[in-house]
């Protein structure tokens, strides 16, 4: 199957982590790609690499900027206008301290990216997604949206929004060709975590040592599997952990 026979895939946050691995996975299978991110040099390099495999269009985009997102969606090249798979991957976590020690600016950045950015991109693409015979929206949530843990505060709350937003979209489009999935990874090793720890490599290493954590390629494989399901199948939500991670007993603090 050539790139021209595959549906167009749009991936936000494509310059690192899950987004980068997902772009490579779809490119290997010949899917035409729209890649967005904030780092132009990385987008250029990735586009050059993947253009040998498929058609690629990239755009420097800050998903938090609603006007920029609308302009981006309205001005896609003709070849890429019929987006049928949207991977809402752009997101971040900042800080792992308790809420009283967190920076308010970090909270705002997480909300603006993980919630507002997701809403901006989804709203701008819904008309074209609805126009397709079959389309798929895959939203990157997190186990942090399902299970509380110390230091998760706004990050976990923002990912709970992603999961519930996905379910609500699913309700809106039940019986149509639009499919919606909330993908909820657990302990994952990528540049995402270095950002959270403010570039502290020692802290990063100490958390992941010996865990055999989820890798970006693992999530890319799952995203591809979701998108490849028959049109009458919807994966509502999918929570994924490495085998080294599981639930623990509730904390009891003696007063």
């Amino acid at each position: 199957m050539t790139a021209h026979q595959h549906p167009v895939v749009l991936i936000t946050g494509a310059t690192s982590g899950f987004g980068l691995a997902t772009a490579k996975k779809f490119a290997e299978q010949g899917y035409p790609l729209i890649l967005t991110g904030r780092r132009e040099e990385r987008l250029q390099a990735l586009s050059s690499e993947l253009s040998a495999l498929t058609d690629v269009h990239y755009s420097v985009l800050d998903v938090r900027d609603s006007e920029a997102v609308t302009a981006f969606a309205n001005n896609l090249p003709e070849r890429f206008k019929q987006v049928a798979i949207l991977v809402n991957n752009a997101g971040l976590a900042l800080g792992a301290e308790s809420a009283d020690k967190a920076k308010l600016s970090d909270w705002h950045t997480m909300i603006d990216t993980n919630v507002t950015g997701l809403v901006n991109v989804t709203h701008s693409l819904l008309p074209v997604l609805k126009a397709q015979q079959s389309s798929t929206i895959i939203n990157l949530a997190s186990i942090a949206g399902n299970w509380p843990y110390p230091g998760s505060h706004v990050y976990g709350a923002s990912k709970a929004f992603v999961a519930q937003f996905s379910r609500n979209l699913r309700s809106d489009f039940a019986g149509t060709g639009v499919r919606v999935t909330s993908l909820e990874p657990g302990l994952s090793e990528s540049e995402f975590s270095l950002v959270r720890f403010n570039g502290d490599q020692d802290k990063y290493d100490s958390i992941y040592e010996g865990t055999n954590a989820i890798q970006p390629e693992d999530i890319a494989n799952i995203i591809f599997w979701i998108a490849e399901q028959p049109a009458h199948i919807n994966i509502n939500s999918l929570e994924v952990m490495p085998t080294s991670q599981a639930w623990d007993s509730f904390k009891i603090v003696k007063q």
Side-chain angles (χ1 to χ4, degrees):
M1 198 178 270
T2 68
H4 291 278
Q5 294 172 295
H6 282 300
V8 176
V9 182
L10 193 162
I11 303 169
T12 65
T15 56
S16 65
F18 297 161
L20 176 61
T22 301
K24 291 182 176 181
K25 179 67 178 181
F26 277 100
E28 288 167 0
Q29 302 300 320
Y31 282 72
L33 296 174
I34 303 169
L35 308 176
T36 76
R38 290 186 294 167
R39 291 172 285 193
E40 185 167 12
E41 287 186 6
R42 288 197 182 191
L43 283 172
Q44 285 180 336
L46 182 59
S47 177
S48 296
E49 176 187 348
L50 300 185
S51 290
L53 302 172
T54 189
D55 297 336
V56 181
H57 171 70
Y58 75 86
S59 180
V60 177
L61 184 67
D62 186 340
V63 297
R64 300 173 295 180
D65 185 337
S66 61
E67 291 184 2
V69 170
T70 299
F72 156 77
N74 290 340
N75 291 285
L76 289 171
E78 192 63 35
R79 167 73 184 92
F80 296 93
K81 282 187 181 297
Q82 303 305 313
V83 177
I85 300 172
L86 170 60
V87 181
N88 275 316
N89 168 72
L92 78 170
L94 295 173
E97 308 88 356
S98 62
D100 57 307
K101 297 175 182 175
K103 295 179 182 177
L104 181 59
S105 60
D106 285 348
W107 282 8
H108 285 166
T109 299
M110 285 187 280
I111 293 168
D112 290 346
T113 307
N114 301 351
V115 176
T116 306
L118 171 76
V119 166
N120 289 342
V121 174
T122 304
H123 189 267
S124 72
L125 270 299
L126 279 177
V128 69
L129 289 163
K130 280 192 68 179
Q132 308 308 311
Q133 185 173 0
S134 177
S135 63
T136 307
I137 301 171
I138 301 171
N139 295 326
L140 267 295
S142 168
I143 64 165
N146 305 338
W147 311 102
Y149 62 86
S152 181
H153 37 76
V154 166
Y155 174 68
S158 72
K159 290 303 184 178
F161 175 92
V162 175
Q164 187 63 24
F165 181 59
S166 300
R167 288 189 284 265
N168 292 341
L169 285 176
R170 175 86 181 91
S171 295
D172 282 347
F173 299 121
T176 74
V178 182
R179 307 185 298 181
V180 188
T181 298
S182 173
L183 178 55
E184 300 151 7
L187 184 69
S188 305
E189 187 175 8
S190 73
E191 187 177 320
F192 171 94
S193 300
L194 265 182
V195 171
R196 184 172 200 175
F197 303 138
N198 199 29
D200 188 332
Q201 187 69 49
D202 291 337
K203 187 171 185 178
Y204 176 95
D205 292 341
S206 69
I207 287 177
Y208 291 102
E209 183 179 3
T211 62
N212 198 14
I214 293 170
Q215 298 299 309
E217 293 74 20
D218 298 325
I219 296 301
N221 288 337
I222 293 170
I223 289 172
F224 185 77
W225 174 79
I226 292 169
E228 284 274 287
Q229 291 304 298
H232 69 289
I233 299 294
N234 192 97
I235 308 299
N236 297 329
S237 61
L238 185 56
E239 184 179 274
V240 184
M241 295 183 190
T243 53
S244 61
Q245 185 178 36
W247 309 275
D248 204 347
S249 57
F250 282 107
K251 179 189 291 186
I252 298 174
V253 181
K254 295 186 178 182
Q255 302 293 319

